[in-house]
Amino acid sequence: MSNERLTLEEMEQKYPDEWLFIIDCEFSENTELLSGVVTAHSESRADIYEASGHYKGGAAIYYTGGLPKGMRFLL
């Protein structure tokens, strides 16, 4: 992976419908992810959880598509 900082929009364009593991994150005042460095990406959420398990420090996991099949969330 490169150390290129991408905006959230750039991540969504470059990695459509994939899970991302992002470090060196920049957040808005409302904790919205603005940019970061993608260190792993995969269509499999399990791959990203595995990659994130070896990292110590602040990071984010983000899905660039709609809700994956079978996943729901509550606001």
Side-chain angles (χ1 to χ4, degrees):
M1 274 301 117
S2 79
N3 289 333
E4 177 184 19
R5 174 173 292 282
L6 300 173
T7 66
L8 187 58
E9 183 178 296
E10 290 169 330
M11 291 178 204
E12 290 172 343
Q13 290 174 358
K14 190 170 183 175
Y15 306 107
D17 300 320
E18 289 194 39
W19 290 92
L20 310 178
F21 182 63
I22 306 161
I23 63 168
D24 195 19
C25 301
E26 177 186 4
F27 296 97
S28 72
E29 291 180 9
N30 298 327
T31 67
E32 178 184 2
L33 180 62
L34 299 174
S35 68
V37 177
V38 177
T39 61
H41 63 94
S42 176
E43 292 180 359
S44 168
R45 179 175 52 177
D47 290 346
I48 297 305
Y49 286 150
E50 183 178 328
S52 69
H54 306 290
Y55 184 78
K56 304 289 186 225
I61 294 176
Y62 182 78
Y63 184 67
T64 60
L67 283 179
K69 184 177 179 179
M71 181 177 271
R72 299 179 187 159
F73 68 92
L74 178 65
L75 295 176

XYZ file of all heavy atoms in Angstrom:
597
model
N 0.839 -1.194 0.000
C 0.000 0.000 0.000
C 0.876 1.246 0.000
O 1.931 1.268 0.611
C -0.854 0.038 1.271
C -2.178 -0.693 1.268
S -3.361 -0.207 0.043
C -3.455 -1.716 -0.856
N 0.393 2.267 -0.637
C 1.123 3.533 -0.623
C 0.767 4.318 0.635
O -0.190 3.988 1.336
C 0.784 4.345 -1.872
O -0.465 4.989 -1.723
N 1.534 5.334 0.907
C 1.256 6.207 2.049
C 0.511 7.448 1.596
O 0.589 8.480 2.252
C 2.561 6.589 2.748
C 3.154 5.413 3.486
O 2.438 4.517 3.906
N 4.451 5.406 3.632
N -0.215 7.341 0.498
C -0.935 8.476 -0.071
C -2.173 8.804 0.760
O -3.003 7.940 1.039
C -1.351 8.130 -1.506
C -2.168 9.183 -2.189
C -2.646 8.760 -3.565
O -2.659 7.548 -3.854
O -3.022 9.649 -4.329
N -2.280 10.072 1.159
C -3.477 10.524 1.876
C -4.589 10.747 0.852
O -4.392 11.398 -0.164
C -3.201 11.821 2.632
C -4.461 12.420 3.278
C -4.143 13.587 4.159
N -3.408 13.157 5.336
C -3.959 12.577 6.400
N -5.249 12.350 6.435
N -3.221 12.223 7.424
N -5.745 10.164 1.127
C -6.903 10.308 0.258
C -8.060 10.915 1.039
O -8.209 10.658 2.242
C -7.348 8.942 -0.272
C -6.348 8.141 -1.090
C -6.901 6.750 -1.371
C -6.011 8.847 -2.383
N -8.887 11.691 0.349
C -10.126 12.155 0.956
C -11.110 10.995 0.958
O -10.926 9.994 0.232
C -10.736 13.330 0.185
O -11.131 12.861 -1.112
C -9.760 14.493 0.063
N -12.165 11.107 1.734
C -13.182 10.065 1.776
C -13.764 9.840 0.377
O -13.960 8.699 -0.050
C -14.275 10.437 2.777
C -15.316 9.368 3.054
C -14.676 8.091 3.579
C -16.338 9.879 4.039
N -14.012 10.904 -0.356
C -14.554 10.792 -1.719
C -13.585 10.026 -2.633
O -14.009 9.171 -3.414
C -14.824 12.183 -2.291
C -15.447 12.154 -3.671
C -15.752 13.546 -4.179
O -16.601 14.227 -3.563
O -15.147 13.936 -5.197
N -12.300 10.305 -2.510
C -11.302 9.600 -3.321
C -11.254 8.115 -2.963
O -11.123 7.259 -3.847
C -9.919 10.229 -3.133
C -9.798 11.605 -3.748
C -8.536 12.344 -3.335
O -8.026 12.119 -2.210
O -8.066 13.161 -4.144
N -11.371 7.802 -1.669
C -11.394 6.405 -1.239
C -12.586 5.675 -1.854
O -12.457 4.544 -2.323
C -11.475 6.318 0.286
C -10.248 6.769 1.010
S -10.545 6.663 2.801
C -9.378 7.863 3.404
N -13.747 6.310 -1.826
C -14.955 5.688 -2.365
C -14.833 5.453 -3.864
O -15.338 4.453 -4.380
C -16.169 6.540 -2.029
C -16.494 6.510 -0.549
C -17.578 7.476 -0.126
O -17.892 8.420 -0.890
O -18.117 7.297 0.978
N -14.178 6.354 -4.579
C -13.986 6.183 -6.026
C -12.944 5.113 -6.337
O -13.111 4.318 -7.254
C -13.564 7.508 -6.660
C -14.656 8.534 -6.690
C -14.171 9.891 -7.186
O -13.006 10.083 -7.483
N -15.092 10.836 -7.273
N -11.861 5.081 -5.576
C -10.754 4.167 -5.835
C -11.069 2.735 -5.395
O -10.602 1.770 -6.012
C -9.501 4.666 -5.115
C -8.239 3.941 -5.491
C -7.015 4.652 -4.931
C -5.739 3.953 -5.375
N -4.541 4.679 -4.954
N -11.858 2.583 -4.319
C -12.154 1.268 -3.751
C -13.671 1.072 -3.600
O -14.178 0.977 -2.488
C -11.485 1.122 -2.380
C -10.005 1.389 -2.361
C -9.503 2.557 -1.791
C -9.104 0.488 -2.909
C -8.139 2.808 -1.760
C -7.739 0.733 -2.891
C -7.268 1.889 -2.318
O -5.916 2.140 -2.291
N -14.420 1.010 -4.705
C -15.881 0.876 -4.584
C -16.283 -0.465 -3.961
O -15.688 -1.498 -4.256
C -16.370 0.995 -6.027
C -15.201 0.596 -6.868
C -13.980 1.004 -6.093
N -17.274 -0.409 -3.090
C -17.843 -1.600 -2.443
C -16.789 -2.453 -1.745
O -16.814 -3.682 -1.818
C -18.615 -2.448 -3.458
C -19.761 -1.681 -4.082
O -20.441 -0.931 -3.353
O -19.977 -1.810 -5.301
N -15.858 -1.791 -1.057
C -14.822 -2.512 -0.320
C -14.721 -1.984 1.105
O -15.093 -0.854 1.397
C -13.451 -2.347 -0.997
C -13.328 -3.097 -2.302
C -11.906 -3.201 -2.774
O -11.004 -3.405 -1.930
O -11.681 -3.084 -3.988
N -14.194 -2.840 1.971
C -13.863 -2.466 3.339
C -12.462 -1.893 3.336
O -11.576 -2.409 2.648
C -13.916 -3.689 4.252
C -15.306 -4.187 4.476
C -15.963 -5.137 3.742
C -16.216 -3.753 5.468
N -17.221 -5.322 4.226
C -17.401 -4.482 5.295
C -16.148 -2.818 6.498
C -18.504 -4.308 6.119
C -17.248 -2.641 7.312
C -18.415 -3.373 7.119
N -12.247 -0.822 4.101
C -10.954 -0.158 4.162
C -10.459 -0.091 5.602
O -11.247 0.142 6.523
C -11.057 1.279 3.635
C -11.721 1.501 2.282
C -11.753 2.987 1.971
C -11.019 0.730 1.190
N -9.153 -0.262 5.773
C -8.507 -0.005 7.054
C -7.669 1.247 6.849
O -6.781 1.275 5.989
C -7.642 -1.185 7.501
C -7.005 -0.952 8.834
C -7.773 -0.789 9.969
C -5.629 -0.874 8.959
C -7.196 -0.562 11.206
C -5.037 -0.643 10.189
C -5.828 -0.486 11.315
N -7.970 2.291 7.613
C -7.416 3.626 7.381
C -6.665 4.098 8.627
O -7.201 4.039 9.739
C -8.554 4.619 7.059
C -9.398 4.080 5.903
C -7.992 5.994 6.745
C -10.775 4.710 5.800
N -5.443 4.589 8.410
C -4.666 5.160 9.508
C -4.413 6.631 9.218
O -4.742 7.121 8.135
C -3.333 4.418 9.729
C -2.432 4.542 8.513
C -3.584 2.961 10.097
C -0.999 4.079 8.760
N -3.800 7.320 10.180
C -3.485 8.742 10.043
C -4.737 9.516 9.618
O -4.727 10.310 8.684
C -2.338 8.933 9.042
C -1.728 10.326 9.125
O -1.925 11.018 10.154
O -1.071 10.738 8.154
N -5.831 9.244 10.315
C -7.143 9.796 9.967
C -7.271 11.267 10.355
O -6.775 11.686 11.399
C -8.247 9.020 10.673
S -8.284 7.270 10.274
N -7.982 11.980 9.530
C -8.381 13.358 9.837
C -9.896 13.352 9.960
O -10.588 12.836 9.077
C -7.944 14.309 8.723
C -8.392 15.727 8.959
C -8.086 16.653 7.775
O -7.596 16.187 6.747
O -8.377 17.851 7.919
N -10.399 13.912 11.063
C -11.834 13.941 11.328
C -12.318 15.380 11.442
O -11.575 16.266 11.861
C -12.152 13.208 12.641
C -11.832 11.749 12.617
C -10.639 11.267 13.136
C -12.718 10.845 12.076
C -10.340 9.919 13.130
C -12.438 9.484 12.052
C -11.241 9.025 12.579
N -13.597 15.583 11.120
C -14.216 16.884 11.318
C -14.521 17.058 12.806
O -14.354 16.125 13.601
C -15.515 16.979 10.510
O -16.516 16.168 11.104
N -14.997 18.232 13.181
C -15.392 18.481 14.570
C -16.493 17.533 15.016
O -16.641 17.249 16.198
C -15.848 19.927 14.736
C -14.728 20.931 14.612
C -15.215 22.365 14.779
O -16.386 22.572 15.154
O -14.410 23.269 14.528
N -17.287 17.034 14.054
C -18.391 16.115 14.347
C -17.976 14.654 14.219
O -18.822 13.787 14.088
C -19.570 16.386 13.408
C -20.119 17.770 13.591
O -20.108 18.314 14.688
N -20.598 18.360 12.519
N -16.684 14.397 14.213
C -16.073 13.065 14.101
C -16.353 12.375 12.761
O -16.273 11.164 12.662
C -16.450 12.128 15.268
O -17.839 11.825 15.202
C -16.083 12.734 16.614
N -16.669 13.145 11.739
C -16.843 12.594 10.393
C -15.457 12.387 9.778
O -14.607 13.272 9.826
C -17.663 13.565 9.537
C -17.846 13.105 8.115
C -18.588 14.124 7.265
O -18.937 15.207 7.768
O -18.786 13.833 6.089
N -15.226 11.222 9.202
C -13.950 10.928 8.559
C -13.794 11.812 7.322
O -14.656 11.829 6.449
C -13.884 9.449 8.152
C -12.621 8.979 7.468
C -11.402 9.129 8.378
C -12.775 7.528 7.015
N -12.688 12.557 7.266
C -12.428 13.450 6.138
C -11.366 12.885 5.200
O -11.504 12.964 3.979
C -11.973 14.820 6.634
C -12.952 15.582 7.513
C -12.306 16.855 8.039
C -14.234 15.889 6.750
N -10.287 12.330 5.762
C -9.204 11.802 4.941
C -8.356 10.850 5.779
O -8.503 10.777 6.999
C -8.335 12.932 4.388
O -7.620 13.578 5.422
N -7.454 10.143 5.102
C -6.552 9.234 5.784
C -5.747 8.438 4.788
O -5.820 8.657 3.581
N -4.979 7.497 5.308
C -4.123 6.640 4.491
C -4.684 5.219 4.548
O -4.773 4.621 5.629
C -2.670 6.659 5.014
C -1.798 5.715 4.210
C -2.114 8.082 4.971
N -5.080 4.690 3.396
C -5.623 3.330 3.320
C -4.455 2.347 3.351
O -3.601 2.370 2.476
C -6.454 3.137 2.038
C -6.949 1.691 1.931
C -7.629 4.106 1.996
N -4.430 1.492 4.383
C -3.342 0.518 4.488
C -3.779 -0.880 4.076
O -2.933 -1.740 3.842
C -2.765 0.465 5.912
O -3.795 0.070 6.805
C -2.207 1.821 6.315
N -5.094 -1.125 4.021
C -5.612 -2.408 3.558
C -7.004 -2.190 2.999
O -7.755 -1.343 3.501
C -5.649 -3.417 4.697
N -7.344 -2.952 1.969
C -8.694 -2.894 1.413
C -9.072 -4.276 0.920
O -8.219 -5.061 0.488
C -8.805 -1.853 0.296
C -7.950 -2.139 -0.893
N -8.414 -2.808 -1.993
C -6.653 -1.872 -1.136
C -7.443 -2.916 -2.883
N -6.347 -2.358 -2.378
N -10.367 -4.599 1.017
C -10.832 -5.925 0.622
C -12.352 -5.913 0.516
O -13.023 -5.116 1.169
C -10.407 -6.967 1.659
O -10.934 -8.234 1.342
N -12.875 -6.831 -0.286
C -14.319 -7.038 -0.312
C -14.773 -7.785 0.940
O -15.947 -7.787 1.271
C -14.715 -7.810 -1.566
C -14.515 -7.007 -2.842
C -14.898 -7.780 -4.088
O -15.304 -8.956 -3.979
O -14.784 -7.203 -5.179
N -13.822 -8.399 1.639
C -14.117 -9.179 2.834
C -13.853 -8.367 4.102
O -12.732 -7.928 4.347
C -13.245 -10.443 2.860
O -13.310 -11.057 4.121
N -14.869 -8.221 4.907
C -14.730 -7.523 6.184
C -13.755 -8.277 7.091
O -12.968 -7.673 7.822
C -16.100 -7.388 6.844
C -16.071 -6.696 8.177
C -17.445 -6.486 8.736
N -18.215 -7.725 8.749
C -19.430 -7.844 9.229
N -20.048 -6.806 9.726
N -20.057 -8.990 9.205
N -13.764 -9.591 7.029
C -12.880 -10.402 7.866
C -11.409 -10.104 7.562
O -10.580 -10.067 8.478
C -13.171 -11.884 7.662
N -11.082 -9.882 6.299
C -9.696 -9.540 5.932
C -9.254 -8.244 6.611
O -8.125 -8.133 7.078
C -9.552 -9.365 4.416
C -9.686 -10.660 3.641
O -9.637 -11.745 4.256
O -9.851 -10.579 2.404
N -10.149 -7.285 6.656
C -9.816 -5.986 7.242
C -9.688 -6.105 8.756
O -8.791 -5.515 9.354
C -10.859 -4.922 6.846
C -10.849 -4.725 5.328
C -10.612 -3.611 7.577
C -9.490 -4.384 4.730
N -10.564 -6.873 9.387
C -10.444 -7.076 10.833
C -9.127 -7.770 11.159
O -8.477 -7.454 12.148
C -11.628 -7.861 11.386
C -12.898 -7.054 11.474
C -14.134 -7.654 11.345
C -12.879 -5.681 11.693
C -15.310 -6.928 11.428
C -14.036 -4.943 11.776
C -15.250 -5.571 11.650
O -16.398 -4.839 11.737
N -8.717 -8.711 10.316
C -7.443 -9.384 10.533
C -6.285 -8.393 10.402
O -5.378 -8.372 11.225
C -7.259 -10.527 9.537
C -5.989 -11.307 9.759
C -5.850 -12.471 8.804
O -6.870 -13.051 8.401
O -4.705 -12.784 8.454
N -6.316 -7.559 9.374
C -5.254 -6.559 9.170
C -5.213 -5.556 10.323
O -4.141 -5.131 10.743
C -5.470 -5.830 7.847
N -6.368 -5.186 10.839
C -6.417 -4.178 11.896
C -5.940 -4.714 13.237
O -5.510 -3.944 14.087
C -7.840 -3.634 12.041
O -8.710 -4.622 12.570
N -5.974 -6.018 13.418
C -5.585 -6.615 14.688
C -4.106 -6.451 15.013
O -3.710 -6.573 16.160
N -3.306 -6.150 14.020
C -1.861 -6.006 14.211
C -1.444 -4.553 14.376
O -0.267 -4.268 14.546
C -1.115 -6.618 13.022
C -1.503 -8.037 12.765
N -1.159 -9.072 13.603
C -2.239 -8.595 11.772
C -1.651 -10.208 13.131
N -2.309 -9.945 12.025
N -2.401 -3.644 14.311
C -2.078 -2.215 14.351
C -2.353 -1.648 15.729
O -3.410 -1.898 16.316
C -2.887 -1.466 13.291
C -2.538 -0.012 13.202
C -1.391 0.395 12.544
C -3.332 0.952 13.806
C -1.046 1.731 12.472
C -2.996 2.295 13.743
C -1.855 2.669 13.082
O -1.506 4.002 13.010
N -1.431 -0.859 16.217
C -1.608 -0.168 17.500
C -1.683 1.324 17.211
O -0.799 1.888 16.567
C -0.433 -0.435 18.438
C -0.167 -1.892 18.698
C -1.236 -2.504 19.559
C -0.859 -3.917 19.928
N -1.924 -4.859 19.808
N -2.737 1.966 17.633
C -2.896 3.391 17.411
C -4.275 3.701 16.866
O -5.107 2.808 16.693
N -4.512 4.961 16.596
C -5.799 5.395 16.078
C -5.976 5.002 14.625
O -5.051 5.119 13.829
N -7.154 4.502 14.295
C -7.439 4.061 12.938
C -8.951 4.021 12.741
O -9.717 4.229 13.688
C -6.836 2.693 12.684
N -9.364 3.736 11.508
C -10.787 3.625 11.197
C -10.989 2.463 10.238
O -10.110 2.139 9.436
C -11.300 4.919 10.568
N -12.149 1.842 10.334
C -12.596 0.851 9.358
C -13.830 1.450 8.702
O -14.735 1.931 9.377
C -12.914 -0.498 10.034
C -11.627 -1.109 10.593
C -13.590 -1.443 9.047
C -11.838 -2.391 11.372
N -13.840 1.421 7.366
C -14.907 2.093 6.618
C -15.318 1.222 5.441
O -14.465 0.626 4.776
C -14.387 3.449 6.122
C -15.405 4.264 5.382
C -16.387 4.964 6.067
C -15.385 4.345 4.002
C -17.335 5.717 5.384
C -16.322 5.101 3.313
C -17.295 5.781 4.007
O -18.233 6.518 3.333
N -16.624 1.156 5.168
C -17.141 0.433 4.001
C -17.598 1.454 2.975
O -18.376 2.360 3.289
C -18.297 -0.487 4.407
C -18.797 -1.320 3.266
C -17.999 -2.316 2.710
C -20.053 -1.113 2.718
C -18.439 -3.080 1.643
C -20.507 -1.879 1.662
C -19.703 -2.856 1.127
O -20.145 -3.617 0.067
N -17.135 1.314 1.728
C -17.404 2.323 0.709
C -18.713 2.108 -0.042
O -19.108 2.965 -0.831
C -16.265 2.369 -0.332
O -16.160 1.095 -0.968
C -14.956 2.749 0.315
N -19.368 1.001 0.169
C -20.618 0.728 -0.534
C -21.816 0.981 0.348
O -21.721 1.564 1.436
N -22.954 0.512 -0.120
C -24.161 0.558 0.700
C -24.027 -0.485 1.798
O -22.998 -1.137 1.935
N -25.056 -0.664 2.566
C -25.001 -1.674 3.621
C -24.805 -3.048 3.002
O -25.507 -3.417 2.072
C -26.292 -1.676 4.433
C -26.460 -0.558 5.441
C -27.804 -0.678 6.139
C -25.353 -0.559 6.447
N -23.837 -3.803 3.502
C -23.634 -5.162 3.002
C -24.865 -6.023 3.273
O -25.603 -5.791 4.236
C -22.442 -5.669 3.807
C -21.756 -4.443 4.281
C -22.838 -3.420 4.479
N -25.085 -7.029 2.433
C -26.227 -7.925 2.572
C -26.282 -8.507 3.982
O -25.274 -8.988 4.498
C -26.111 -9.054 1.559
C -27.294 -9.973 1.555
C -27.151 -11.036 0.490
C -28.342 -11.956 0.511
N -28.244 -12.977 -0.518
N -27.442 -8.406 4.598
C -27.644 -8.969 5.932
C -27.221 -8.047 7.068
O -27.445 -8.368 8.224
N -26.638 -6.887 6.765
C -26.190 -5.988 7.823
C -27.240 -4.900 8.040
O -27.789 -4.357 7.102
C -24.846 -5.358 7.470
C -24.324 -4.441 8.564
S -22.717 -3.760 8.180
C -21.700 -5.033 8.885
N -27.480 -4.581 9.284
C -28.400 -3.515 9.661
C -27.735 -2.662 10.707
O -26.820 -3.110 11.386
C -29.686 -4.112 10.232
C -30.407 -4.976 9.269
C -31.640 -5.545 9.907
N -32.203 -6.515 8.986
C -33.009 -7.471 9.318
N -33.356 -7.620 10.572
N -33.473 -8.300 8.421
N -28.211 -1.447 10.859
C -27.700 -0.633 11.954
C -28.830 0.181 12.537
O -29.857 0.403 11.920
C -26.539 0.266 11.509
C -26.909 1.363 10.548
C -27.250 2.618 11.008
C -26.905 1.136 9.189
C -27.585 3.628 10.136
C -27.243 2.146 8.307
C -27.583 3.381 8.779
N -28.643 0.616 13.765
C -29.642 1.341 14.522
C -29.070 2.695 14.875
O -27.942 2.791 15.369
C -29.982 0.558 15.781
C -30.981 1.179 16.748
C -32.345 1.289 16.073
C -31.084 0.320 17.987
N -29.819 3.733 14.598
C -29.365 5.084 14.964
C -29.973 5.489 16.280
O -31.031 5.168 16.649
C -29.775 6.104 13.897
C -29.124 5.908 12.547
C -29.672 6.904 11.552
C -27.630 6.060 12.651
